[in-house]
Structures are given as C-alpha cells and as structure tokens.
C-alpha cells in the first residue's frame, strides 16, 4: 500500500499508518517513558500507548471511506484517553488533520500539507509553544517544512516523505542541547539541556511510520 | 518494586472503588472516573471541582465532601485527567450557580481543563478557573511553564469550599480562590525518589546520603541536590525562599502547613513543624492556624513540603468552617 499513480493515499493507507504507529508506540513505550523520566515525569510512553491502544478498536469499528472522519475519531479518542500534555496536543493534531480532510476518500501531498498546517497552528494555539522551546513541535515543524519544500521542488511523494523523516530526525536530535521553555521539562531550567525531548521523539516515530507505511 | 497492588494498570480504578466503598456516606464514584459529593448537585450553590494525576492521595478525591470540593477528577498516576472527566464533573455538580475549576499549574492540567471548560460552557454551564502556582522552587519567568501548583492547592480547596458552602456567588468564590493563590507560597524536598506502579523502578536516583531541595510532587528534579542535612537546616533552606518571595513580614498572621510526601512518618513531620514554628516566632510572624500531615503526596516519596499562607479574617473564617470529607473533618 502506498501512493497511487496520481500521488494519492487511500483510506486504507491512513488506517494502516495509524495501526502501524500504534505498534511502534507499544514497542517504544519504555524508551519514550525513559526519555520522559530524565526531564519530565516518566509517563510519555505510557500515556501514548494508552491512547493508541484505545484507538485500535475505534478504527476497527469505523466504516472505511472518509479519511477525515477516521482521523477525527482518532483525535477525539486520544483527547478522551491520553491525558497529560500529549493527549490534548496529539488529539488536536489528528482532529484538525481530520477536519482539513473531511469527506475525502483519497488525500495527496497538497492536502497532507494543508492538514499539517491546520494541525500545527491549532497545537500552537493550545500549547503556546514556539519552535526552539524543546517540544514536539521541534520535530513536527521541520518535517512539515521539508515536506513542503520537496513537494514544491516536484519530488516524488516517497522522496518527499524521506526528506520529512530526515528533517524530523534532525529536529528531534536538535532538542538535545536546548533548554526547555514549555512543559514539565522547563522546571529544570538549564538542567533540561543534554536530553532529547520525549514528545519530539514520538513525533519523529509518527513521521517515520508514515514513510515506512507509504513509501517503505 | 514492592507495592500493595494487583496490577499496575488497575491501581487507579481499584483505589477509587475502595474509596467509594469506604466513604459511601460522603462520596460516590461515577464514570468516567470522577469522585462526586454524595448530595451533588446542590441547588443554588457554586460547584467547586479540581483534578489532576493520581498518586497524590488524599488530594483531590479525599477532599470531596461538605465544605470542600464537590467533585474531583483523578487521572492516571501522575498524568492529568482527560477533558471528559472535568466535563462530566462540571455537569454533575452544577446547581445552577456555575462551577469553579481549581487547576494546578501543569501544562497537561491546564490544557485538559481548558478543553473541558469550553465543552461545559458550550452546554450552558458557567465555568471559571483559577490556576494555583505556589511552588517557589520554580522561577516564575516567561521562559518556563511557570510555577507548579503544590501544597497551596490543599489550602485553596478548603477555604474556597468553605466560601462556596456559605452561599457566595461564582465571582466571589473565584476571587477567594485567587486571593489564596496570591498569598500562598510553598517549597518541598525529597529524601528518596518515588516509584510509579507502571514503571516499577525509582523515577530518579538519589544517593543514600543525598537529598533534593525544591522537588516537585511528581519527582521532577528540584533546585539542587546536596548531602543530607539536619531537619533544622532543611527547614531553613525551604523557609528562606518562601519567606522572601511573598514576602512574609513581622506582624503577619499565617497558616503554616507541613506536608508529608507519602513516605515520611508523622513523627518527622512534627520535628519539621517544630522548626517551622520556632523560625516564624523568631521573625515575629504569628502562626494563626496550622496543618500537619500527608495531604498532597508523591506516592512513596520520602520528604516534606512547607506552605505558608498569609491569612486575613475572611480566609481564616472559611478555613475554620465545618468540613466533612474522607481526609479532612472538623466542626461537625
Ligand atoms: N506547551 C507545549 N506545546 C507543545 N508540546 C508540549 C508542550 N508542553 C509539553 N509538550 C510536549 O509534551 C511532551 C510530554 O508529554 P507527556 O505525555 O509526558 O505529558 P506530561 O507533560 O507529562 O503531562 P502530565 O504532566 O499531565 O503528566 C513533551 O516532551 C513535549 O514535547
Ligand atoms: Mg510526562
């Protein structure tokens, strides 16, 4: 399953992405929690896993077709089950992505970017974080920007996704030296430097799951 | 990890079921995991709710009852509750006079309460929120998420609960909560880490001869780590930043609250209180009221926190007002 000849992703592609990510989160539950123990409260992997395990049966119950409707269900399920900072943020991500793709049975790069734009601005309205604050946005925004550049350069979708993964990787690693200005990690002041942000790490895994699923 | 549990992922649910069974005269527990005062909603009374991660017992569920909270929303251990809980709690306690949300200043709590307040307001319930941010260990600057909500929350819930019980309207109850927030300062310390049931190992490593000053209630590292000192020296280290911050001055009347973090025996809390009381006396500050015990805990962490609230007559009256909850009871 991946992009079709006209560069479109189907409902099944999106559902497979979410399922794959649920598996990735389960596999990395401990890793994400350990990262959060260093600069937060040791629950990020547990929070995310609780949410995505709740998403799986909702996906099974969903009538295939409308990509946006499915993503909205993912978002509201996360808001209702995750808690913490990541629940409202990831929930808002999928909810806004779903609103931007409502009624569509296939989604191309252009709509993907529109969805990401809507999702990121809503997450910033809610969490009031800026790039460089050492949050999940530090992986998400560079990934979106790289995807846009590649798409504008006329790259194939698969190539564009790889560029997004590279940018997310880089953004995630770039959180290591940063001093956190948002979230729990900010309580540490300078002591938050030297640790990778857990949220940026789970976002990196999200972008990777998309690349692996759609362009693997 | 040695804990009295059946399974890590059942701890919160089973503890809530246990609370409901133990205190059925005061509270009821309803889906989606909310603790509600037995006789809620009370017609014409402002509802007061709070919530936050579990693991801080008796806060908040233990403070539901007459004269304190109308409902509490416990999240997973150390994780903010979800908006559905606050929305349900708001509906369950609304007696037509509106509902106050007492929110501790953590990013997750702020965002989840925010989403819930929007949902409740969309259903026609008037909601106000006050954020408690009393931990002086955190620098209050534009470059942090701001001070954490800690011990002051317990005092706010009692005083605001008394105010709401007296029949005050939503604006008055909200202003009272803000007044407590504006006049309370706290700081804590840890002798040991805590262990989350779901993690199974200590959140951080602290040597046998070390302590952490300025610890948060989730084991967030504090201001500094150092060699263990005497109780008197530790009290000095916690009290100095607290006293300087408000600042508290000679002639002030205060409520002094010495809180245990969960793993410290009461005998040590009294040693701490003794040092607090004599230090305040030396500064000409009158301890008009006090509270000593483990009320806002951090699972099995050993350590304590100190909160000082500068009292006025009205706050004192609402502190003294009758309260009957699983964890606090006086006046009836
Ligand atoms: N204001 C914010 N904007 C964007 N992302 C944020 C913000 N605050 C925190 N985050 C992200 O959330 C991640 C932590 O998520 P987690 O699931 O551990 O929630 P939490 O902060 O521990 O919540 P809680 O305190 O309720 O447990 C951080 O690594 C960071 O990437
Ligand atoms: Mg966390």
């Amino acid at each position: 399953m991946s992009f079709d000849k006209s560069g479109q992703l189907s409902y099944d592609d999106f559902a497979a992405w979410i399922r794959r990510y649920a598996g990735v989160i389960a596999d990395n539950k401990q890793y994400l929690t350990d990262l959060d123990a260093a600069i937060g409260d040791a629950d990020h992997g547990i929070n995310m896993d609780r949410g995505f395990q709740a998403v799986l049966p909702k996906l099974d119950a969903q009538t295939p077709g409308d990509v946006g409707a499915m993503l909205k269900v993912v978002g509201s399920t996360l808001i209702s089950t995750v808690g913490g900072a990541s629940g409202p943020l990831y929930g808002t991500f999928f909810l806004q992505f779903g609103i931007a793709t409502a009624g569509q049975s296939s989604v191309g790069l252009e709509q993907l970017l529109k969805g990401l734009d809507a999702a990121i601005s809503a997450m910033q309205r809610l969490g009031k974080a800026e790039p460089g604050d050492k949050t999940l946005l530090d992986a998400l925004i560079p990934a979106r920007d790289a995807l846009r550049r590649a798409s504008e350069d006329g790259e194939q979708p698969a190539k564009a996704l790889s560029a997004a993964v590279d940018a997310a990787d880089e953004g995630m690693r770039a959180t290591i030296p940063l001093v956190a200005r948002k979230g729990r990690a900010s309580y540490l002041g300078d002591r938050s430097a030297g640790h990778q942000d857990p949220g940026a790490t789970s976002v990196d895994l999200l972008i990777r799951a998309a690349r692996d699923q759609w362009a693997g | 990890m040695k804990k009295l549990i059946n399974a890590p992922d059942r701890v919160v649910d089973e503890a809530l079921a246990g609370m409901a069974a133990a205190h059925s005269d005061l509270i009821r527990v309803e889906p989606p995991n909310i603790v509600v005062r037995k006789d809620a909603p009370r017609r014409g009374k402002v509802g007061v709710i709070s919530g936050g991660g579990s693991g801080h017992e008796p806060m908040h569920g233990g403070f539901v009852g007459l004269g304190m909270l109308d409902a509490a929303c416990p999240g997973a251990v150390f994780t903010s509750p979800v908006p559905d809980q606050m929305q349900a709690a708001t509906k369950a306690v609304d007696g037509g006079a509106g509902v106050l949300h007492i929110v501790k200043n953590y990013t997750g709590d702020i965002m989840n309460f925010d989403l819930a307040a929007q949902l409740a307001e969309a259903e026609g319930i008037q909601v106000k929120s006050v954020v408690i941010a009393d931990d002086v260990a955190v620098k209050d600057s534009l470059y942090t998420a701001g001070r954490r909500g800690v011990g002051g929350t317990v005092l706010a819930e009692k005083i605001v609960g008394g105010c709401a019980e007296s029949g005050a309207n939503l604006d008055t109850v909200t202003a009272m909560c803000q007044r407590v927030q504006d006049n309370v300062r706290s700081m804590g310390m840890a002798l040991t880490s805590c262990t989350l049931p779901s993690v199974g190992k200590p959140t951080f490593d602290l040597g046998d001869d070390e302590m952490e000053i300025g610890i948060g209630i989730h084991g967030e590292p504090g201001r500094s780590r150092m060699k263990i000192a005497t109780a008197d020296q530790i009290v000095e280290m916690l009290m100095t930043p607290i006293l300087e911050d408000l600042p508290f001055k000679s002639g002030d009347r205060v409520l002094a609250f010495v809180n245990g973090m969960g793993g410290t025996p009461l005998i040590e809390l009294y040693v701490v209180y003794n040092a607090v009381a004599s230090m305040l006396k030396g500064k000409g500050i009158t301890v008009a009221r006090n509270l000593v015990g483990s009320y806002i805990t951090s699972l099995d962490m050993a350590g304590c926190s100190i909160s000082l609230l500068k009292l006025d007559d009205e706050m004192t009256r609402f502190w003294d007002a009758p309260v009957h909850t699983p964890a606090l009871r006086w006046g009836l």
Side-chain angles (χ1 to χ4, degrees), chain A residues 38-40 179 184-193 195, chain B residues 148 220-222:
Chain A
I39 54 170
V179 172
R184 277 188 185 291
S186 72
Y187 301 135
L188 290 179
D190 294 342
R191 284 204 275 170
S192 63
H195 300 278
Chain B
R148 301 178 284 233
E220 306 98 325

Side-chain angles (χ1 to χ4, degrees), chain A residues 30 33-34 37-38 40-43 46-47 50 78-89 92 126-128 180-184 186-188 191, chain B residues 76-84 105-108 111-112 114-115 138 142-148 196 198-199 201 203 212 218 220-224:
Chain A
Q30 191 61 47
T33 298
D34 288 346
D41 57 352
D43 64 0
I46 296 160
N47 293 346
R50 182 173 52 246
L78 293 176
I79 290 177
S80 300
T81 55
V82 177
S86 46
L89 288 166
T92 297
L126 186 66
K128 317 222 158 44
R181 285 188 293 226
K182 281 285 179 293
R184 277 188 185 291
S186 72
Y187 301 135
L188 290 179
R191 284 204 275 170
Chain B
V77 173
F78 287 5
T79 299
S80 329
V82 298
D84 311 39
N105 190 31
Y106 298 98
T107 303
M111 290 196 282
N112 284 289
D114 191 5
L115 293 175
V138 179
L142 286 173
Y143 304 107
T144 66
R147 284 184 169 163
R148 301 178 284 233
L196 277 85
S198 57
V199 177
K201 52 179 201 273
T203 304
E212 180 100 15
H218 308 88
E220 306 98 325
R223 275 192 176 183
S224 56

Side-chain angles (χ1 to χ4, degrees), chain A residues 59-183:
Chain A
L59 271 190
D60 294 340
Q62 193 70 8
T63 317
D66 185 339
V67 172
M70 183 263 279
L71 292 175
K72 281 195 269 183
V73 168
V74 173
S76 56
T77 305
L78 293 176
I79 290 177
S80 300
T81 55
V82 177
S86 46
L89 288 166
Y90 270 92
T92 297
F93 174 88
F94 286 104
L95 205 55
Q96 292 298 325
F97 208 141
I99 291 169
T101 52
Q104 298 180 20
S105 58
S106 70
V107 169
L109 265 193
E110 203 174 311
Q111 293 107 301
L112 205 62
L113 280 163
K114 267 196 198 135
L116 284 172
D117 286 342
I120 289 170
S121 35
M123 290 162 92
Q124 286 194 276
R125 270 198 305 280
L126 186 66
K128 317 222 158 44
E130 295 295 329
D133 284 349
K134 194 172 182 125
T135 70
L136 40 81
L137 294 173
D138 291 320
L140 189 54
I141 290 177
R144 187 261 323 257
D145 294 347
L147 193 66
R148 171 157 291 129
R149 268 194 310 278
S151 152
E152 283 167 1
D153 291 348
E155 294 284 10
Q156 290 302 308
K159 266 244 171 101
L161 272 180
S162 286
V165 167
D166 291 344
D169 283 353
E170 202 180 311
M172 168 188 81
R173 279 194 299 270
T175 62
I176 296 175
L178 292 176
V179 172
R181 285 188 293 226
K182 281 285 179 293

Side-chain angles (χ1 to χ4, degrees), chain B residues 19-331:
Chain B
M19 267 194 82
H23 305 290
S24 59
D25 53 329
L26 302 175
I27 58 165
R28 57 182 203 259
V29 174
E30 292 178 357
N33 270 7
I34 57 175
V35 181
V36 183
R37 181 172 160 175
K38 186 76 186 280
D39 57 357
R42 291 177 64 88
R43 192 86 228 124
K45 177 186 163 307
V46 170
V48 181
I49 75 162
S50 190
S54 293
H56 307 300
E57 292 66 26
M59 191 185 75
H60 299 274
F63 301 141
V64 175
L66 186 147
M68 217 163 162
L69 296 177
D70 294 281
C73 307
V77 173
F78 287 5
T79 299
S80 329
V82 298
D84 311 39
Q85 289 173 273
M86 281 73 88
Q87 187 190 8
T90 303
K91 273 177 36 186
V93 309
D94 179 43
V99 178
L100 175 68
H101 290 183
I102 302 181
V103 188
K104 299 197 298 308
N105 190 31
Y106 298 98
T107 303
D109 288 7
I110 299 275
M111 290 196 282
N112 284 289
F113 268 91
D114 191 5
L115 293 175
Q118 290 176 32
L119 293 169
E121 275 170 346
E123 294 185 56
I125 303 176
Q126 216 192 338
V127 175
K128 298 248 179 185
S129 305
V130 173
V131 175
I132 305 294
D134 57 321
D135 187 352
V136 299
V138 179
K139 263 194 248 145
D140 188 16
S141 81
L142 286 173
Y143 304 107
T144 66
R147 284 184 169 163
R148 301 178 284 233
V150 289
T153 315
V154 176
L155 311 183
E157 290 177 0
K158 169 65 189 82
I159 289 170
V160 169
C163 179
E165 204 71 57
S166 78
N169 66 23
L170 183 58
D171 283 337
T172 306
V173 172
T174 306
M176 180 55 63
C177 195
Q178 189 60 48
R179 205 195 302 174
V180 175
Q181 155 59 22
D182 292 342
N183 287 286
V184 69
R185 298 292 184 274
S186 305
M187 188 152 149
M189 61 81 59
L191 297 167
T192 69
S193 176
C194 49
T195 299
L196 277 85
S198 57
V199 177
K201 52 179 201 273
T203 304
F204 56 94
D205 299 313
L206 204 52
D208 268 352
D209 57 345
E210 286 182 320
M211 61 176 182
E212 180 100 15
I213 296 285
I215 196 84
I217 52 171
H218 308 88
E220 306 98 325
R223 275 192 176 183
S224 56
R225 180 169 294 198
M226 58 183 77
K227 288 269 173 276
I228 181 83
T230 65
D232 288 352
Q233 288 166 331
I234 291 169
V235 165
E236 173 106 38
M237 281 184 244
L238 299 179
M239 287 285 281
T240 304
I242 292 174
L243 288 166
E244 282 171 357
D245 195 87
L246 193 64
F248 292 88
K249 297 184 302 286
S250 172
D252 284 350
R253 292 166 58 80
V254 301
L255 190 166
F257 171 28
V258 170
N259 173 64
M261 289 293 192
T264 286
L266 191 53
I267 187 170
E268 293 174 31
L269 298 181
Y270 280 122
V271 171
V272 168
Y273 184 76
N274 182 44
V276 169
S278 70
M279 189 169 171
L280 288 170
K281 192 168 181 203
K283 300 209 175 284
I285 296 169
T286 305
V287 181
R289 299 289 182 275
N290 68 65
L291 183 68
V292 182
S294 297
Y295 291 103
I296 165 171
T297 59
S298 187
L299 293 169
D300 52 349
M301 184 189 281
C304 72
S305 66
I306 299 172
S307 301
L308 290 187
L309 168 64
K310 185 173 160 184
L311 286 168
D312 57 32
D313 290 345
E314 217 175 1
M315 280 193 262
T316 310
R317 186 156 58 83
F318 291 136
W319 176 259
D320 289 343
V323 60
H324 192 183
T325 68
L328 277 187
R329 178 180 187 178
W330 60 71

